[in-house]
């Protein structure tokens, strides 16, 4: 089966610019996650969708980050304006459902550098 | 606050030996713990899941234990190989999946 697709693979921007990341989850997966992974750290959950509704966005810096999942399939994550500390890998993951026994399937991530 | 911690940032193990990685959790009891492998430049890949009422789970050379008294999970790789070198992440899994910082494992030939 096709995996989780993410684009772009790399992005370099200057601070205060905006950027958007795209994710296409595995077909049929109801739950979609965006994680931020800073170098040397574990993935930090930013937002979790169940179909097209937000389940958890408690760690999302809502003054600058936004995310949507239209029609319960693809998702975009946007940062506006970007700060230096946003430099990280942004990982998208999906799972069949949101139960704790469901394993996550990750994309390869988007590596963001903010200069 | 509810924490999940992997105390070893890096671990060097001689090829052929058993590598043991530790994951501790505090202030709550997760229903499930998951373990993932992450290679440089790639997303994490799921390895094993263990439920709170399971003491041990095995998959080929991998073994995971769950000790609710110690609030700890141990991840073992037996007969380790250089190809096992990677970062290993544990995650508490309830209504959301929260990861530890990971342990970088180096298997020395």
């Amino acid at each position: 089966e096709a995996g989780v697709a993410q684009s772009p693979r790399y992005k370099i921007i200057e601070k205060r610019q905006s950027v958007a990341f795209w994710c296409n989850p595995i077909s049929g997966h109801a739950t979609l996650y965006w994680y931020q992974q800073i170098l040397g750290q574990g993935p930090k959950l930013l937002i979790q969708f169940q179909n097209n509704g937000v389940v958890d966005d408690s760690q999302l810096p809502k003054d600058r980050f936004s995310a949507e999942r239209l029609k319960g399939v693809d998702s975009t994550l946007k940062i506006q304006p970007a700060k230096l500390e946003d430099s990280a890998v942004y990982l998208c993951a999906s799972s069949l459902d949101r139960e704790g026994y469901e394993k996550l399937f990750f994309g390869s991530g988007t590596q963001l550098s903010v200069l | 606050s509810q924490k999940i911690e992997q105390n070893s940032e890096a671990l060097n193990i001689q090829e052929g030996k058993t590598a043991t990685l530790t994951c501790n959790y505090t202030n709550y009891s997760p229903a499930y713990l998951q373990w993932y492998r992450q290679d440089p430049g790639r997303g994490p890949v799921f390895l094993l899941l263990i439920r709170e009422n399971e003491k041990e789970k095995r998959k080929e050379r991998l073994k995971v234990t769950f000790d609710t008294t110690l609030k700890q999970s141990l991840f073992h790789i037996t007969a380790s190989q250089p190809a096992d070198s990677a970062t290993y992440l544990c995650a508490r899994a309830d209504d959301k999946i929260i990861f530890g910082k990971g342990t970088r494992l180096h298997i020395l030939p």
Side-chain angles (χ1 to χ4, degrees), chain A residues 9 33 35 37 40-43 45 48 56 58 91 98-104 106-108, chain B residues 32 34 36 38 41-46 49 51 89 93-102:
Chain A
R9 189 77 175 87
Y33 311 76
Y35 285 88
Q37 188 171 27
Q41 302 287 317
L45 180 64
Q48 177 180 345
D56 187 294
S58 57
L91 294 163
R98 57 182 286 210
E99 298 298 333
Y101 51 77
E102 295 288 353
K103 58 186 178 183
L104 301 191
F106 282 86
S108 293
Chain B
Y32 309 90
Q34 299 187 4
Y36 289 77
Q38 187 173 26
R42 310 295 297 271
V45 174
F46 173 83
L49 162 80
R51 293 171 167 77
L89 299 158
D94 305 287
D95 54 342
K96 52 189 177 183
I97 298 181
I98 305 298
F99 288 86
K101 291 175 65 173

Side-chain angles (χ1 to χ4, degrees), chain A residues 59-70:
Chain A
Q59 297 290 304
L60 188 73
K62 298 180 188 63
D63 57 335
R64 299 183 301 104
F65 286 64
S66 65
E68 60 181 6
R69 189 180 184 196
L70 297 175

Side-chain angles (χ1 to χ4, degrees), chain A residues 50-111:
Chain A
Q50 182 71 6
N51 296 308
N52 60 348
V54 175
V55 172
D56 187 294
D57 63 357
S58 57
Q59 297 290 304
L60 188 73
K62 298 180 188 63
D63 57 335
R64 299 183 301 104
F65 286 64
S66 65
E68 60 181 6
R69 189 180 184 196
L70 297 175
K71 300 180 181 178
V73 183
D74 292 7
S75 178
T76 56
L77 176 69
K78 296 179 182 177
I79 308 175
Q80 183 179 10
K83 292 185 175 181
L84 296 176
E85 60 259 35
D86 298 332
S87 294
V89 175
Y90 290 85
L91 294 163
C92 179
S94 69
S95 62
L96 270 172
D97 211 324
R98 57 182 286 210
E99 298 298 333
Y101 51 77
E102 295 288 353
K103 58 186 178 183
L104 301 191
F105 294 82
F106 282 86
S108 293
T110 296
Q111 186 172 323

Side-chain angles (χ1 to χ4, degrees), chain B residues 9-23:
Chain B
E9 285 196 10
L11 193 60
N12 293 327
I13 298 292
Q14 203 66 40
E15 181 178 5
K17 302 291 186 185
T18 296
T20 299
L21 285 64
T22 304
C23 178

